Amino acid sequence: MDFKEYIVDKAPPSAFYIPDFITVEEEQHLIHQVYAAPKPKWKELSHRRLQNWGGLPHPRGMVAEHIPAKQ
């Protein structure tokens, strides 16, 4: 695949936008996984909430964390 056509202008050269990269079904699965996460997984910030998957920030680097498998 030639990724040159997917480069995002005015962004770092490693930023790409690939339309329809995931299917509608995969999108729905991911959204379900986000909202089904247990309450402790959510971090409340001013005016937003977030979840951190795949690692936790730490001064010495990221602490590895399990990423849920596709069900």
Side-chain angles (χ1 to χ4, degrees):
M1 174 179 264
D2 183 13
F3 289 102
K4 291 177 187 166
E5 65 183 289
Y6 300 114
I7 293 174
V8 178
D9 293 334
K10 300 180 183 178
S14 59
F16 298 91
Y17 171 70
I18 303 173
D20 303 317
F21 181 73
I22 62 173
T23 66
V24 172
E25 292 79 15
E26 290 169 323
E27 176 187 3
Q28 292 302 313
H29 175 75
L30 291 170
I31 291 170
H32 174 75
Q33 292 298 109
V34 167
Y35 287 107
K39 188 164 177 88
K41 193 70 185 156
W42 289 97
K43 302 290 182 224
E44 298 286 336
L45 304 175
S46 58
H47 308 293
R48 65 185 178 123
R49 302 183 307 159
L50 70 89
Q51 293 179 9
N52 192 348
W53 292 98
L56 299 172
H58 186 274
R60 293 185 177 180
M62 296 294 280
V63 176
E65 184 179 62
H66 174 73
I67 297 176
K70 183 176 179 180
Q71 296 177 359

